[in-house]
Amino acid sequence: MSSVQSQQEQLSQSDPSPSPNSCSSFELIDMDAGSLYEPVSPHWFYCKIIDSKETWIPFNSEDSQQLEEAYSSGKDCNGRVVPTDGGRYDVHLGERMRYAVYWDELASEVRRCTWFYKGDKDNKYVPYSESFSQVLEETYMLAVTLDEWKKKLESPNREIIILHNPKLMVHYQPVAGSDDWGSTPTEQGRPRTVKRGVENISVDIHCVNDFRSVSLNLLQTHFKKAQENQQIGRVEFLPVNWHSPLHSTGVDVDLQRITLPSINRLRHFTNDTILDVFFYNSPTYCQTIVDTVASEMNRIYTLFLQRNPDFKGGVSIAGHSLGSLILFDILTNQKDSLGDIDSEKDSLNIVMDQGDTPTLEEDLKKLQLSEFFDIFEKEKVDKEALALCTDRDLQEMGIPLGPRKKILNYFSTRKNSTGISRPTLQPASGANIPKESEFCSSSNTRNGDYLDVGIGQVSVKYPRLIYKPEIFFAFGSPIGMFLTVRGLKRIDPNYRFPTCKGFFNIYHPFDPVAYRIEPMVVPGVEFEPMLIPHHKGRKRMHLELREGLTRMSMDLKNNLLGSLRMAWKSFTRAPYPALQASETAEETEAEPESTSEKPSDVNTEETSVAVKEEVLPINVGMLNGGQRIDYVLQEKPIESFNEYLFALQSHLCYWESEDTVLLVLKEIYQTQGIFLDQPLQ
């Protein structure tokens, strides 16, 4: 249908109603022509540049109302700042600009919108400027009051707007090359719909791929009772930006010069993600990375408290990919006392700082071995040296067997309980020896004493966080791989972060960057990770089907094996018919016993399969307070067809995964005694 025909049909209707699914180039606006003029209700929008195009996005109703109240208060708008988006953005009313509070982002234009036209390609409404909207509103008011229509206005861009009547208002674009003697407005291409007010325009827009928005939706569906009883508030998610400062050094330009032009997507992923791994293992950049991450985390936390002085909740942290490894290293090197601002050494070191730990004399007194202090003092053996002594060394100093065992056990216990086997030493030059951490004693021995095995991390002075995180969530994390290549064989089951109680390692089964943690705590036992429930409370259908088929094939296999055993037994007896009667009788008597044993073998296998399917309690240590650590997402049906095809995508899936967000919310709210409305199966 042409636009002219559409216009004629709409003009001929006495009481037309707009169709949201209409394909026409403009829509009719429902109004009562005989009604008196009523001022338009404004709504506030901000402009985002998406794919090099301006896109106008409405503020939610609450923020728009706050902006309108500030605008209508009669006070000078210059210098007036209105927090929006939960305090994550500030709108400077006089400038009409929107600024991010916690991270760096280009400022966005803000507009008080009353009149709109529909765009050509995306069919979205675009607001007119505030000044031209005022002109349109004044013209509309005169037309309604005087009942004089067919008003024609020209915008600053020489675009023509015609108000035919309250139900039909159109917008014509100028034709390229036309001048004052050119065509009339009705001949200047396809008309656009002009709309007054925001009725029928959605003004509560959420980004589907936004972690924060997913959590808000899940609150409505899974924590509805707690919300209705006002037991909980929402969880705020604030990003920590460390990537941009790292890549502002010009190295990206140098790297782009040597990057091959083929397989662009994969090479971009390599340059943008894997390159950071090399940065983190470089002494040039590693210190910059940990300093940037820790200082940004502290800055955001301080700023949040300043803007929310009544905040009483806890703080949890999440890291994705390399970010999770950075957080792991920072948390490992924290002190359990926030009052101690010395971040050069952490509480995990075997050799404690002088002055705030027991002296050698005090340790010996605690062991009831004070009489040997003079011997150590004579040999110039301090606590650090004594920690390195072997049984032979103590024997040569004249220490009897009993006291030797007490001393060696004391220092060995301290190594295991703290989880670090290599002490931090301060050389005479004042430079830092690499702080190498290992979370268990090494299996390499010599003369009965443990050897130190470093983890290969470069020399780094780890900054202190000014708060204690409740939980640490790692998404698609290579922590396990990095600990292994650093030389760590096993994590001490008693080890836990000094300042963080919880740790969840969450990953997609096809994520090429993710590794498990639990096998490093319990290396001798094979067991599956915890399967994250679907957010709708069920296992995905294709997984249930796969498990059913696996169970069915196992049953068929067991039955087939049992039948084959019986057949083989009959076959092996067939060539011996001339056996003596006594032997035959013995065999006949033994047969029931034998046949009763064989099915029991099958039953044993079936029982073992059933037992294997049961979730048995597994001790995975204290890294997550005794709870399980590894949690795996359920792949989608389409992903199961080709795991290689979805490998890169699976590494980025966590921020839009409802299952991931629900697990995060569940664990965070459980720290406050709040549980899901209905437990997931």
PDB file of all heavy atoms in Angstrom, residues 303-314:
ATOM      1  N   LEU A 303      33.516   5.485  46.968  1.00  0.00           N
ATOM      2  CA  LEU A 303      32.558   6.371  46.329  1.00  0.00           C
ATOM      3  C   LEU A 303      31.128   5.903  46.564  1.00  0.00           C
ATOM      4  O   LEU A 303      30.217   6.710  46.810  1.00  0.00           O
ATOM      5  CB  LEU A 303      32.854   6.446  44.824  1.00  0.00           C
ATOM      6  CG  LEU A 303      31.997   7.394  43.984  1.00  0.00           C
ATOM      7  CD1 LEU A 303      32.099   8.824  44.507  1.00  0.00           C
ATOM      8  CD2 LEU A 303      32.411   7.330  42.520  1.00  0.00           C
ATOM      9  N   PHE A 304      30.925   4.598  46.527  1.00  0.00           N
ATOM     10  CA  PHE A 304      29.583   4.061  46.759  1.00  0.00           C
ATOM     11  C   PHE A 304      29.107   4.374  48.174  1.00  0.00           C
ATOM     12  O   PHE A 304      27.943   4.745  48.381  1.00  0.00           O
ATOM     13  CB  PHE A 304      29.582   2.550  46.521  1.00  0.00           C
ATOM     14  CG  PHE A 304      28.241   1.911  46.706  1.00  0.00           C
ATOM     15  CD1 PHE A 304      27.305   1.928  45.689  1.00  0.00           C
ATOM     16  CD2 PHE A 304      27.905   1.291  47.901  1.00  0.00           C
ATOM     17  CE1 PHE A 304      26.055   1.339  45.857  1.00  0.00           C
ATOM     18  CE2 PHE A 304      26.661   0.702  48.080  1.00  0.00           C
ATOM     19  CZ  PHE A 304      25.734   0.729  47.048  1.00  0.00           C
ATOM     20  N   LEU A 305      29.990   4.242  49.158  1.00  0.00           N
ATOM     21  CA  LEU A 305      29.609   4.555  50.537  1.00  0.00           C
ATOM     22  C   LEU A 305      29.326   6.045  50.709  1.00  0.00           C
ATOM     23  O   LEU A 305      28.443   6.426  51.479  1.00  0.00           O
ATOM     24  CB  LEU A 305      30.714   4.113  51.496  1.00  0.00           C
ATOM     25  CG  LEU A 305      30.923   2.601  51.656  1.00  0.00           C
ATOM     26  CD1 LEU A 305      31.985   2.331  52.713  1.00  0.00           C
ATOM     27  CD2 LEU A 305      29.626   1.894  52.022  1.00  0.00           C
ATOM     28  N   GLN A 306      30.081   6.870  49.997  1.00  0.00           N
ATOM     29  CA  GLN A 306      29.824   8.310  50.076  1.00  0.00           C
ATOM     30  C   GLN A 306      28.444   8.654  49.537  1.00  0.00           C
ATOM     31  O   GLN A 306      27.741   9.503  50.090  1.00  0.00           O
ATOM     32  CB  GLN A 306      30.904   9.068  49.301  1.00  0.00           C
ATOM     33  CG  GLN A 306      32.277   9.025  49.942  1.00  0.00           C
ATOM     34  CD  GLN A 306      33.336   9.669  49.075  1.00  0.00           C
ATOM     35  OE1 GLN A 306      33.077  10.043  47.918  1.00  0.00           O
ATOM     36  NE2 GLN A 306      34.540   9.805  49.600  1.00  0.00           N
ATOM     37  N   ARG A 307      28.044   7.992  48.469  1.00  0.00           N
ATOM     38  CA  ARG A 307      26.757   8.283  47.846  1.00  0.00           C
ATOM     39  C   ARG A 307      25.606   7.517  48.503  1.00  0.00           C
ATOM     40  O   ARG A 307      24.444   7.834  48.270  1.00  0.00           O
ATOM     41  CB  ARG A 307      26.815   7.950  46.357  1.00  0.00           C
ATOM     42  CG  ARG A 307      27.819   8.786  45.586  1.00  0.00           C
ATOM     43  CD  ARG A 307      27.963   8.288  44.162  1.00  0.00           C
ATOM     44  NE  ARG A 307      26.750   8.428  43.401  1.00  0.00           N
ATOM     45  CZ  ARG A 307      26.404   9.500  42.683  1.00  0.00           C
ATOM     46  NH1 ARG A 307      27.215  10.545  42.652  1.00  0.00           N
ATOM     47  NH2 ARG A 307      25.284   9.537  42.009  1.00  0.00           N
ATOM     48  N   ASN A 308      25.942   6.482  49.286  1.00  0.00           N
ATOM     49  CA  ASN A 308      24.925   5.685  49.974  1.00  0.00           C
ATOM     50  C   ASN A 308      25.341   5.507  51.430  1.00  0.00           C
ATOM     51  O   ASN A 308      25.717   4.395  51.853  1.00  0.00           O
ATOM     52  CB  ASN A 308      24.757   4.326  49.289  1.00  0.00           C
ATOM     53  CG  ASN A 308      24.376   4.434  47.832  1.00  0.00           C
ATOM     54  OD1 ASN A 308      23.208   4.511  47.477  1.00  0.00           O
ATOM     55  ND2 ASN A 308      25.384   4.431  46.970  1.00  0.00           N
ATOM     56  N   PRO A 309      25.298   6.561  52.225  1.00  0.00           N
ATOM     57  CA  PRO A 309      25.813   6.491  53.601  1.00  0.00           C
ATOM     58  C   PRO A 309      25.047   5.530  54.499  1.00  0.00           C
ATOM     59  O   PRO A 309      25.575   5.109  55.527  1.00  0.00           O
ATOM     60  CB  PRO A 309      25.674   7.937  54.100  1.00  0.00           C
ATOM     61  CG  PRO A 309      24.639   8.556  53.217  1.00  0.00           C
ATOM     62  CD  PRO A 309      24.774   7.897  51.882  1.00  0.00           C
ATOM     63  N   ASP A 310      23.825   5.155  54.131  1.00  0.00           N
ATOM     64  CA  ASP A 310      23.037   4.252  54.964  1.00  0.00           C
ATOM     65  C   ASP A 310      23.200   2.785  54.560  1.00  0.00           C
ATOM     66  O   ASP A 310      22.492   1.924  55.074  1.00  0.00           O
ATOM     67  CB  ASP A 310      21.551   4.626  54.896  1.00  0.00           C
ATOM     68  CG  ASP A 310      21.287   6.019  55.440  1.00  0.00           C
ATOM     69  OD1 ASP A 310      22.021   6.422  56.363  1.00  0.00           O
ATOM     70  OD2 ASP A 310      20.372   6.698  54.941  1.00  0.00           O
ATOM     71  N   PHE A 311      24.109   2.511  53.660  1.00  0.00           N
ATOM     72  CA  PHE A 311      24.291   1.141  53.177  1.00  0.00           C
ATOM     73  C   PHE A 311      24.824   0.247  54.293  1.00  0.00           C
ATOM     74  O   PHE A 311      25.824   0.552  54.935  1.00  0.00           O
ATOM     75  CB  PHE A 311      25.264   1.143  51.995  1.00  0.00           C
ATOM     76  CG  PHE A 311      25.608  -0.234  51.499  1.00  0.00           C
ATOM     77  CD1 PHE A 311      24.678  -0.987  50.800  1.00  0.00           C
ATOM     78  CD2 PHE A 311      26.865  -0.777  51.722  1.00  0.00           C
ATOM     79  CE1 PHE A 311      24.991  -2.250  50.340  1.00  0.00           C
ATOM     80  CE2 PHE A 311      27.193  -2.037  51.263  1.00  0.00           C
ATOM     81  CZ  PHE A 311      26.251  -2.775  50.565  1.00  0.00           C
ATOM     82  N   LYS A 312      24.145  -0.888  54.526  1.00  0.00           N
ATOM     83  CA  LYS A 312      24.542  -1.826  55.580  1.00  0.00           C
ATOM     84  C   LYS A 312      24.833  -3.220  55.034  1.00  0.00           C
ATOM     85  O   LYS A 312      25.092  -4.140  55.805  1.00  0.00           O
ATOM     86  CB  LYS A 312      23.431  -1.948  56.627  1.00  0.00           C
ATOM     87  CG  LYS A 312      23.007  -0.639  57.269  1.00  0.00           C
ATOM     88  CD  LYS A 312      24.142   0.014  58.039  1.00  0.00           C
ATOM     89  CE  LYS A 312      23.626   1.271  58.733  1.00  0.00           C
ATOM     90  NZ  LYS A 312      24.676   2.168  59.149  1.00  0.00           N
ATOM     91  N   GLY A 313      24.758  -3.406  53.736  1.00  0.00           N
ATOM     92  CA  GLY A 313      24.921  -4.733  53.158  1.00  0.00           C
ATOM     93  C   GLY A 313      26.370  -5.138  53.015  1.00  0.00           C
ATOM     94  O   GLY A 313      27.298  -4.414  53.408  1.00  0.00           O
ATOM     95  N   GLY A 314      26.570  -6.320  52.464  1.00  0.00           N
ATOM     96  CA  GLY A 314      27.910  -6.837  52.243  1.00  0.00           C
ATOM     97  C   GLY A 314      28.366  -6.579  50.821  1.00  0.00           C
ATOM     98  O   GLY A 314      27.615  -6.094  49.973  1.00  0.00           O
TER      99      GLY A 314
END
